[in-house]
Amino acid sequence: MKENDIKKPIFNTLKPYVASLIVVLICVFPLFKFEYSTDTYHFALHPGLDGIIEAMRYNGRIVSMLGAMLLDKINVSFTAFYYVSFIMSIIFSMLSITTLYKMLKGHISRNLAFFIAIITILNPLSFEHFLFIEKGFFAFAIFMAVLSAKFFLLFLQGKKGHLILSYIFLTLCAFTYQALPAAFVALAVAFIVIYSKNVKSFISNTAIAASVYGFATFMIFIAMKIFDLAKRASVSFNLKNIYKFLTFGLGNPYLLLVYVLVFTALFLSVFISSKRACGAFFTKESTLAFFKYAFIIVATVIATSAPCPFSKPEDVWFTPRFAYPVGLLVGTIPILHFFKHERLDENLNDERLFTKDTYKKSLVMLSALFIIMGVFHSFCFSRHITNASDKKDAMIIQEKIAEYENETGIEIKKISIYYDKSSSDGYSGTVFLPNCNVRALSRKWCDVAHLSLFHERSYKKVDNNKDCKEYFSSRDWDKFENDSFIFENDTLHLCVY
């Protein structure tokens, strides 16, 4: 009995880590097979990890750059880097889920706390982070944001000395990926609303959270200026970029109606619930609840869009990886709804799945988890289909090049890429995601690189020929035809259908 008493606490400590690990593994297991994003085709052509290091430098991701440099120093191959990064993404995602679960446990029943932790970290906008070769560093940045939120929560609970750790971890987050410190804000504002006892403490806590976020983003901004990093950063401050981001990169003012609809739905749900609960739509409690939810949404969107003015306009659009903090709202809003300021009774907190009282709740949670896993699998398997189709295209082109070289004795060294009337960005049978699950030949930064990789050559990409461009733009194919290839000495003019 004594031996069992010793083992039980250890088992209970490890249980959330094991459960989190299982969930993450189920979501991302298709990625155990090496896969290429469009950027990866480009990186693979460089010696060692030079391409990745240069890309991280170009984007100002200092921790990612230093991590790649360290792995390069110990002669980690390009393929090995992929698997190191993938394992990192699994470990740090597991740690993020478990850390958030522990923050909620005791204030929300355990099963619900675990469920909320999963849908918060692996929210609908998280999958894109796993589809780039630096996936491990994205996951590390998210974990740093969660740790920062953890120590901010301890600060709100009266442990003032922990606040300095919140600054440190969020700065590490910013130095890894500049867009993810907003994830701290998405979590912090929920706890601010919960723990602020009055207007004065609410304003004070909000200002402190803003200072944590501001310090981290300011430090990465200064570091990029000092070391001349992040070539994609704008030389001027452009507020119009926020409007472009909020309208999903399309600049269409009608898309702002999305936000109006969100707040209308929130308004109706809060006040209809109030009517059902106490017979009146507008009460002090329902009005306060609406403003609490609205504050969480507005603060998260503001923090997420805040880096946009510092970017070049052409680099601003609504991508899942950049907008990830907004995705956290699917978890932070339930946190506000279910979180109890005082700790729950241990018996209530030890709620079990599939009891008579929790059957419906359990069914909803499990259904949501299956949906999350389905979303991950649809994009992961689409990536493999896209990779296979990219290779098939490359092999067709290689055959045509080989025929020309055998007939003429001239080696093709240069390639120019053109597009027909309605060239496709993606392949049939895949879930399309701009700049992620797309054809390699549809993106200028990797089209020729992808051919060089599969042909085991080093082609030079050259500018379009005016006559070829006019000819190809008038055609409309659904596969490569003989007319898709125009050979001119050592140059291939290739039209993408």
Side-chain angles (χ1 to χ4, degrees):
M1 288 179 65
K2 287 183 178 180
E3 186 178 346
N4 288 335
D5 288 341
I6 293 171
K7 289 181 178 179
K8 190 173 180 180
I10 297 174
F11 175 75
N12 288 337
T13 300
L14 293 177
K15 190 159 58 173
Y17 291 95
V18 173
S20 300
L21 180 60
I22 290 171
V23 170
V24 175
L25 286 173
I26 292 174
C27 285
V28 303
F29 82 87
L31 300 181
F32 275 99
K33 178 183 176 182
F34 191 98
E35 39 80 29
Y36 289 91
S37 68
T38 53
D39 289 336
T40 311
Y41 288 117
H42 175 73
F43 298 156
L45 292 176
H46 291 77
L49 304 180
D50 288 354
I52 297 172
I53 293 168
E54 181 55 35
M56 297 303 101
R57 180 183 291 112
Y58 180 80
N59 287 286
R61 300 171 192 172
I62 297 174
V63 170
S64 304
M65 180 186 73
L66 293 175
M69 290 174 67
L70 175 62
L71 291 171
D72 190 47
K73 286 291 184 184
I74 59 176
N75 295 320
V76 169
S77 68
F78 184 78
T79 302
F81 178 88
Y82 171 87
Y83 287 106
V84 169
S85 182
F86 180 48
I87 291 169
M88 286 172 59
S89 72
I90 293 170
I91 293 171
F92 288 119
S93 296
M94 175 265 291
L95 290 174
S96 294
I97 292 170
T98 307
T99 301
L100 183 55
Y101 162 74
K102 289 184 174 182
M103 292 162 63
L104 304 177
K105 186 189 70 170
H107 299 274
I108 300 176
S109 64
R110 290 180 183 177
N111 292 326
L112 186 56
F114 186 60
F115 170 73
I116 290 174
I118 292 170
I119 65 169
T120 304
I121 303 303
L122 300 180
N123 69 68
L125 298 180
S126 67
F127 58 84
E128 196 185 29
H129 289 146
F130 292 90
L131 296 178
F132 290 93
I133 198 166
E134 65 267 38
K135 49 179 67 73
F137 295 97
F138 283 129
F140 173 77
I142 292 168
F143 180 49
M144 292 299 101
V146 173
L147 281 180
S148 181
K150 171 189 174 180
F151 289 109
F152 183 75
L153 173 59
L154 291 173
F155 162 77
L156 292 176
Q157 292 172 339
K159 300 174 182 178
K160 305 298 183 182
H162 288 81
L163 184 61
I164 185 64
L165 294 174
S166 188
Y167 284 92
I168 292 170
F169 284 117
L170 199 63
T171 301
L172 276 172
C173 171
F175 273 61
T176 308
Y177 186 48
Q178 301 95 318
L180 287 176
F184 158 80
V185 175
L187 293 168
V189 290
F191 294 119
I192 287 172
V193 169
I194 292 166
Y195 279 92
S196 296
K197 298 177 181 178
N198 49 50
V199 174
K200 182 180 178 180
S201 64
F202 170 79
I203 294 173
S204 173
N205 291 333
T206 301
I208 292 169
S211 74
V212 175
Y213 174 80
F215 177 81
T217 52
F218 180 72
M219 292 302 294
I220 185 59
F221 178 76
I222 292 298
M224 289 190 300
K225 289 295 183 182
I226 291 173
F227 298 106
D228 192 27
L229 302 172
K231 303 299 182 182
R232 295 173 73 174
S234 177
V235 294
S236 59
F237 185 81
N238 192 344
L239 277 174
K240 291 181 180 178
N241 287 350
I242 294 180
Y243 170 73
K244 186 179 178 183
F245 172 74
L246 293 177
T247 55
F248 309 99
L250 301 175
N252 188 332
Y254 292 106
L255 290 173
L256 294 175
L257 289 174
V258 172
Y259 301 97
V260 175
L261 292 173
V262 168
F263 279 98
T264 300
L266 177 65
F267 181 87
L268 291 174
S269 65
V270 169
F271 289 106
I272 289 174
S273 296
S274 175
K275 175 68 173 177
R276 289 175 177 173
C278 58
F281 284 107
F282 300 102
T283 64
K284 180 180 178 181
E285 289 74 18
S286 63
T287 304
L288 185 60
F290 172 76
F291 281 106
K292 286 179 177 179
Y293 290 124
F295 170 71
I296 291 175
I297 295 171
V298 171
T300 300
V301 172
I302 289 174
T304 304
S305 58
C308 293
F310 301 96
S311 302
K312 294 178 181 178
E314 61 268 24
D315 290 329
V316 175
W317 63 90
F318 194 97
T319 61
R321 62 187 178 277
F322 189 89
Y324 172 81
V326 175
L328 292 176
L329 290 170
V330 302
T332 56
I333 288 177
I335 287 173
L336 176 59
H337 182 76
F338 292 106
F339 195 94
K340 306 300 181 185
H341 191 285
E342 300 299 328
R343 292 188 67 85
L344 295 174
D345 181 88
E346 276 300 315
N347 293 324
L348 287 174
N349 197 33
D350 199 28
E351 182 183 52
R352 295 285 188 263
L353 281 174
F354 299 119
T355 63
K356 184 177 179 180
D357 294 333
T358 64
Y359 180 79
K360 290 183 180 179
K361 187 190 296 183
S362 303
L363 192 61
V364 170
M365 289 191 289
L366 290 174
S367 298
L369 291 179
F370 277 119
I371 291 171
I372 289 173
M373 293 167 187
V375 169
F376 268 87
H377 292 171
S378 64
F379 282 102
C380 293
F381 283 117
S382 288
R383 166 57 57 78
H384 290 306
I385 294 171
T386 298
N387 287 172
S389 299
D390 281 342
K391 186 174 183 179
K392 183 179 177 181
D393 280 351
M395 294 302 102
I396 293 171
I397 295 165
Q398 186 179 43
E399 287 179 8
K400 291 294 183 181
I401 291 174
E403 288 176 11
Y404 173 78
E405 290 178 337
N406 290 335
E407 290 174 3
T408 64
I410 300 173
E411 182 185 356
I412 292 298
K413 297 179 179 178
K414 304 171 186 174
I415 297 179
S416 185
I417 302 293
Y418 304 80
Y419 307 95
D420 70 9
K421 272 185 180 180
S422 56
S423 59
S424 175
D425 284 346
Y427 295 104
S428 61
T430 64
V431 180
F432 178 73
L433 185 65
N435 295 322
C436 195
N437 268 355
V438 292
R439 298 175 67 189
L441 287 172
S442 72
R443 293 298 180 264
K444 294 179 180 179
W445 58 81
C446 72
D447 43 18
V448 174
H450 137 265
L451 296 176
S452 295
L453 179 69
F454 285 119
H455 296 180
E456 296 182 352
R457 292 193 184 187
S458 183
Y459 296 117
K460 179 181 179 182
K461 185 174 181 178
V462 294
D463 294 334
N464 288 168
N465 174 288
K466 183 179 178 182
D467 293 335
C468 290
K469 187 173 184 178
E470 289 180 0
Y471 170 71
F472 286 136
S473 63
S474 67
R475 307 305 296 268
D476 191 8
W477 293 301
D478 58 5
K479 62 179 180 178
F480 285 117
E481 304 285 356
N482 289 332
D483 291 345
S484 303
F485 304 85
I486 296 177
F487 293 96
E488 182 183 13
N489 297 321
D490 65 349
T491 302
L492 167 61
H493 300 279
L494 173 66
C495 182
V496 178
Y497 61 88

